[in-house]
mmCIF file of all heavy atoms in Angstrom:
data_model
loop_
_atom_site.group_PDB
_atom_site.id
_atom_site.type_symbol
_atom_site.label_atom_id
_atom_site.label_comp_id
_atom_site.label_asym_id
_atom_site.label_seq_id
_atom_site.Cartn_x
_atom_site.Cartn_y
_atom_site.Cartn_z
ATOM 1 N N PHE A 57 80.711 -33.568 105.214
ATOM 2 C CA PHE A 57 80.502 -32.159 104.909
ATOM 3 C C PHE A 57 80.598 -31.327 106.192
ATOM 4 O O PHE A 57 79.553 -30.951 106.761
ATOM 5 C CB PHE A 57 79.144 -31.995 104.223
ATOM 6 C CG PHE A 57 78.987 -30.703 103.460
ATOM 7 C CD1 PHE A 57 79.450 -30.581 102.141
ATOM 8 C CD2 PHE A 57 78.398 -29.607 104.038
ATOM 9 C CE1 PHE A 57 79.292 -29.419 101.423
ATOM 10 C CE2 PHE A 57 78.241 -28.404 103.338
ATOM 11 C CZ PHE A 57 78.694 -28.317 102.026
ATOM 12 N N ASP A 71 73.236 -22.423 103.656
ATOM 13 C CA ASP A 71 72.982 -22.402 102.217
ATOM 14 C C ASP A 71 73.886 -23.412 101.487
ATOM 15 O O ASP A 71 73.463 -24.034 100.496
ATOM 16 C CB ASP A 71 73.214 -21.000 101.655
ATOM 17 C CG ASP A 71 72.062 -20.063 101.945
ATOM 18 O OD1 ASP A 71 70.989 -20.547 102.370
ATOM 19 O OD2 ASP A 71 72.227 -18.845 101.740
ATOM 20 N N GLN A 72 75.118 -23.548 101.978
ATOM 21 C CA GLN A 72 75.978 -24.549 101.387
ATOM 22 C C GLN A 72 75.423 -25.960 101.535
ATOM 23 O O GLN A 72 75.474 -26.768 100.595
ATOM 24 C CB GLN A 72 77.375 -24.495 102.028
ATOM 25 C CG GLN A 72 78.183 -23.264 101.614
ATOM 26 C CD GLN A 72 79.623 -23.332 102.111
ATOM 27 O OE1 GLN A 72 79.900 -23.974 103.146
ATOM 28 N NE2 GLN A 72 80.511 -22.662 101.432
ATOM 29 N N VAL A 73 74.850 -26.230 102.687
ATOM 30 C CA VAL A 73 74.258 -27.564 102.926
ATOM 31 C C VAL A 73 73.104 -27.795 101.975
ATOM 32 O O VAL A 73 73.003 -28.865 101.365
ATOM 33 C CB VAL A 73 73.785 -27.677 104.389
ATOM 34 C CG1 VAL A 73 73.007 -28.988 104.580
ATOM 35 C CG2 VAL A 73 74.974 -27.662 105.351
ATOM 36 N N LYS A 74 72.218 -26.797 101.810
ATOM 37 C CA LYS A 74 71.075 -26.955 100.902
ATOM 38 C C LYS A 74 71.530 -27.271 99.479
ATOM 39 O O LYS A 74 70.968 -28.155 98.793
ATOM 40 C CB LYS A 74 70.239 -25.680 100.882
ATOM 41 C CG LYS A 74 69.471 -25.411 102.171
ATOM 42 C CD LYS A 74 68.726 -24.076 102.051
ATOM 43 C CE LYS A 74 68.014 -23.723 103.358
ATOM 44 N NZ LYS A 74 67.356 -22.393 103.244
ATOM 45 N N SER A 75 72.555 -26.579 99.022
ATOM 46 C CA SER A 75 73.024 -26.773 97.665
ATOM 47 C C SER A 75 73.768 -28.110 97.506
ATOM 48 O O SER A 75 73.679 -28.764 96.466
ATOM 49 C CB SER A 75 73.923 -25.597 97.227
ATOM 50 O OG SER A 75 73.136 -24.427 97.064
ATOM 51 N N ALA A 76 74.519 -28.489 98.550
ATOM 52 C CA ALA A 76 75.202 -29.787 98.513
ATOM 53 C C ALA A 76 74.184 -30.901 98.499
ATOM 54 O O ALA A 76 74.341 -31.911 97.789
ATOM 55 C CB ALA A 76 76.139 -29.906 99.709
ATOM 56 N N GLU A 77 73.140 -30.775 99.299
ATOM 57 C CA GLU A 77 72.089 -31.795 99.334
ATOM 58 C C GLU A 77 71.401 -31.893 97.946
ATOM 59 O O GLU A 77 71.054 -32.998 97.517
ATOM 60 C CB GLU A 77 71.060 -31.447 100.407
ATOM 61 C CG GLU A 77 71.581 -31.631 101.827
ATOM 62 C CD GLU A 77 70.589 -31.145 102.876
ATOM 63 O OE1 GLU A 77 69.695 -30.318 102.550
ATOM 64 O OE2 GLU A 77 70.722 -31.592 104.052
ATOM 65 N N LEU A 78 71.253 -30.776 97.275
ATOM 66 C CA LEU A 78 70.649 -30.785 95.957
ATOM 67 C C LEU A 78 71.558 -31.563 94.984
ATOM 68 O O LEU A 78 71.043 -32.350 94.166
ATOM 69 C CB LEU A 78 70.451 -29.352 95.431
ATOM 70 C CG LEU A 78 69.918 -29.235 94.018
ATOM 71 C CD1 LEU A 78 68.542 -29.905 93.881
ATOM 72 C CD2 LEU A 78 69.874 -27.767 93.580
ATOM 73 N N ALA A 79 72.861 -31.324 95.034
ATOM 74 C CA ALA A 79 73.786 -32.049 94.163
ATOM 75 C C ALA A 79 73.673 -33.556 94.341
ATOM 76 O O ALA A 79 73.659 -34.328 93.385
ATOM 77 C CB ALA A 79 75.218 -31.583 94.408
ATOM 78 N N VAL A 80 73.572 -33.964 95.606
ATOM 79 C CA VAL A 80 73.415 -35.409 95.922
ATOM 80 C C VAL A 80 72.095 -35.902 95.403
ATOM 81 O O VAL A 80 72.008 -36.995 94.826
ATOM 82 C CB VAL A 80 73.575 -35.633 97.441
ATOM 83 C CG1 VAL A 80 73.165 -37.047 97.831
ATOM 84 C CG2 VAL A 80 75.008 -35.341 97.875
ATOM 85 N N LYS A 81 71.020 -35.157 95.631
ATOM 86 C CA LYS A 81 69.700 -35.586 95.183
ATOM 87 C C LYS A 81 69.626 -35.783 93.680
ATOM 88 O O LYS A 81 69.086 -36.783 93.197
ATOM 89 C CB LYS A 81 68.627 -34.570 95.615
ATOM 90 C CG LYS A 81 67.207 -34.902 95.161
ATOM 91 C CD LYS A 81 66.240 -33.805 95.557
ATOM 92 C CE LYS A 81 64.817 -34.189 95.172
ATOM 93 N NZ LYS A 81 64.618 -34.420 93.722
ATOM 94 N N LEU A 96 75.145 -37.633 102.026
ATOM 95 C CA LEU A 96 75.873 -36.483 102.574
ATOM 96 C C LEU A 96 75.797 -36.490 104.068
ATOM 97 O O LEU A 96 74.717 -36.486 104.655
ATOM 98 C CB LEU A 96 75.287 -35.186 102.001
ATOM 99 C CG LEU A 96 76.103 -33.904 102.250
ATOM 100 C CD1 LEU A 96 77.309 -33.855 101.324
ATOM 101 C CD2 LEU A 96 75.222 -32.667 102.022
ATOM 102 N N VAL A 98 76.555 -34.322 107.142
ATOM 103 C CA VAL A 98 76.833 -32.935 107.539
ATOM 104 C C VAL A 98 77.224 -32.889 109.014
ATOM 105 O O VAL A 98 76.602 -33.492 109.866
ATOM 106 C CB VAL A 98 75.593 -32.034 107.314
ATOM 107 C CG1 VAL A 98 75.865 -30.597 107.737
ATOM 108 C CG2 VAL A 98 75.158 -32.095 105.839
ATOM 109 N N VAL A 125 83.999 -32.689 101.670
ATOM 110 C CA VAL A 125 83.771 -31.405 101.008
ATOM 111 C C VAL A 125 83.368 -30.431 102.107
ATOM 112 O O VAL A 125 82.588 -30.799 102.999
ATOM 113 C CB VAL A 125 82.660 -31.487 99.946
ATOM 114 C CG1 VAL A 125 82.452 -30.135 99.276
ATOM 115 C CG2 VAL A 125 82.952 -32.563 98.920
ATOM 116 N N ILE A 150 85.676 -25.463 99.809
ATOM 117 C CA ILE A 150 84.701 -24.547 99.200
ATOM 118 C C ILE A 150 84.674 -23.206 99.953
ATOM 119 O O ILE A 150 83.620 -22.597 100.119
ATOM 120 C CB ILE A 150 83.298 -25.166 99.116
ATOM 121 C CG1 ILE A 150 82.813 -25.675 100.462
ATOM 122 C CG2 ILE A 150 83.309 -26.317 98.089
ATOM 123 C CD1 ILE A 150 81.386 -26.167 100.456
ATOM 124 N N PHE A 319 67.130 -25.847 92.253
ATOM 125 C CA PHE A 319 67.168 -25.337 93.632
ATOM 126 C C PHE A 319 65.809 -24.829 94.076
ATOM 127 O O PHE A 319 65.339 -25.142 95.178
ATOM 128 C CB PHE A 319 68.243 -24.271 93.788
ATOM 129 C CG PHE A 319 68.508 -23.852 95.206
ATOM 130 C CD1 PHE A 319 69.476 -24.480 95.960
ATOM 131 C CD2 PHE A 319 67.733 -22.847 95.807
ATOM 132 C CE1 PHE A 319 69.709 -24.102 97.286
ATOM 133 C CE2 PHE A 319 67.971 -22.460 97.116
ATOM 134 C CZ PHE A 319 68.947 -23.097 97.866
ATOM 135 N N GLY A 332 76.232 -20.537 98.887
ATOM 136 C CA GLY A 332 75.497 -21.766 98.723
ATOM 137 C C GLY A 332 75.917 -22.519 97.469
ATOM 138 O O GLY A 332 76.046 -23.736 97.481
ATOM 139 N N ALA A 333 76.141 -21.769 96.392
ATOM 140 C CA ALA A 333 76.500 -22.401 95.128
ATOM 141 C C ALA A 333 77.793 -23.217 95.236
ATOM 142 O O ALA A 333 77.968 -24.226 94.539
ATOM 143 C CB ALA A 333 76.663 -21.342 94.036
ATOM 144 N N TYR A 334 78.696 -22.801 96.118
ATOM 145 C CA TYR A 334 79.925 -23.593 96.312
ATOM 146 C C TYR A 334 79.613 -25.014 96.769
ATOM 147 O O TYR A 334 80.326 -25.959 96.400
ATOM 148 C CB TYR A 334 80.823 -22.932 97.350
ATOM 149 C CG TYR A 334 81.655 -21.757 96.896
ATOM 150 C CD1 TYR A 334 81.793 -20.641 97.683
ATOM 151 C CD2 TYR A 334 82.354 -21.827 95.710
ATOM 152 C CE1 TYR A 334 82.575 -19.578 97.287
ATOM 153 C CE2 TYR A 334 83.147 -20.753 95.283
ATOM 154 C CZ TYR A 334 83.263 -19.634 96.104
ATOM 155 O OH TYR A 334 84.051 -18.582 95.725
ATOM 156 N N GLY A 335 78.578 -25.172 97.610
ATOM 157 C CA GLY A 335 78.208 -26.522 98.020
ATOM 158 C C GLY A 335 77.816 -27.392 96.857
ATOM 159 O O GLY A 335 78.114 -28.577 96.779
ATOM 160 N N PHE A 336 77.112 -26.763 95.900
ATOM 161 C CA PHE A 336 76.667 -27.491 94.704
ATOM 162 C C PHE A 336 77.839 -27.801 93.786
ATOM 163 O O PHE A 336 78.016 -28.943 93.328
ATOM 164 C CB PHE A 336 75.603 -26.661 93.979
ATOM 165 C CG PHE A 336 74.966 -27.368 92.817
ATOM 166 C CD1 PHE A 336 73.981 -28.309 93.034
ATOM 167 C CD2 PHE A 336 75.366 -27.108 91.517
ATOM 168 C CE1 PHE A 336 73.353 -28.966 91.961
ATOM 169 C CE2 PHE A 336 74.765 -27.751 90.448
ATOM 170 C CZ PHE A 336 73.777 -28.697 90.675
ATOM 171 N N THR A 337 78.625 -26.787 93.441
ATOM 172 C CA THR A 337 79.719 -27.013 92.508
ATOM 173 C C THR A 337 80.809 -27.945 93.077
ATOM 174 O O THR A 337 81.384 -28.745 92.371
ATOM 175 C CB THR A 337 80.346 -25.674 92.065
ATOM 176 O OG1 THR A 337 80.734 -24.937 93.208
ATOM 177 C CG2 THR A 337 79.351 -24.846 91.258
ATOM 178 N N VAL A 339 80.477 -30.384 95.473
ATOM 179 C CA VAL A 339 80.025 -31.757 95.516
ATOM 180 C C VAL A 339 79.827 -32.302 94.082
ATOM 181 O O VAL A 339 80.182 -33.447 93.801
ATOM 182 C CB VAL A 339 78.727 -31.887 96.316
ATOM 183 C CG1 VAL A 339 78.110 -33.281 96.200
ATOM 184 C CG2 VAL A 339 78.967 -31.564 97.795
ATOM 185 N N SER A 340 79.272 -31.482 93.212
ATOM 186 C CA SER A 340 79.017 -31.945 91.821
ATOM 187 C C SER A 340 80.306 -32.325 91.125
ATOM 188 O O SER A 340 80.368 -33.346 90.410
ATOM 189 C CB SER A 340 78.284 -30.865 91.030
ATOM 190 O OG SER A 340 76.975 -30.659 91.528
ATOM 191 N N LEU A 343 81.497 -35.699 92.430
ATOM 192 C CA LEU A 343 80.706 -36.827 91.960
ATOM 193 C C LEU A 343 80.907 -37.100 90.488
ATOM 194 O O LEU A 343 80.885 -38.240 90.036
ATOM 195 C CB LEU A 343 79.225 -36.571 92.286
ATOM 196 C CG LEU A 343 78.891 -36.494 93.787
ATOM 197 C CD1 LEU A 343 77.411 -36.252 93.999
ATOM 198 C CD2 LEU A 343 79.327 -37.764 94.528
#
Side-chain angles (χ1 to χ4, degrees):
F57 199 85
D71 282 348
Q72 287 187 333
V73 173
K74 290 178 184 177
S75 291
E77 289 174 339
L78 176 63
V80 169
K81 178 183 183 300
L96 191 74
V98 179
V125 180
I150 54 173
F319 187 92
Y334 279 138
F336 187 79
T337 54
V339 171
S340 293
L343 296 180

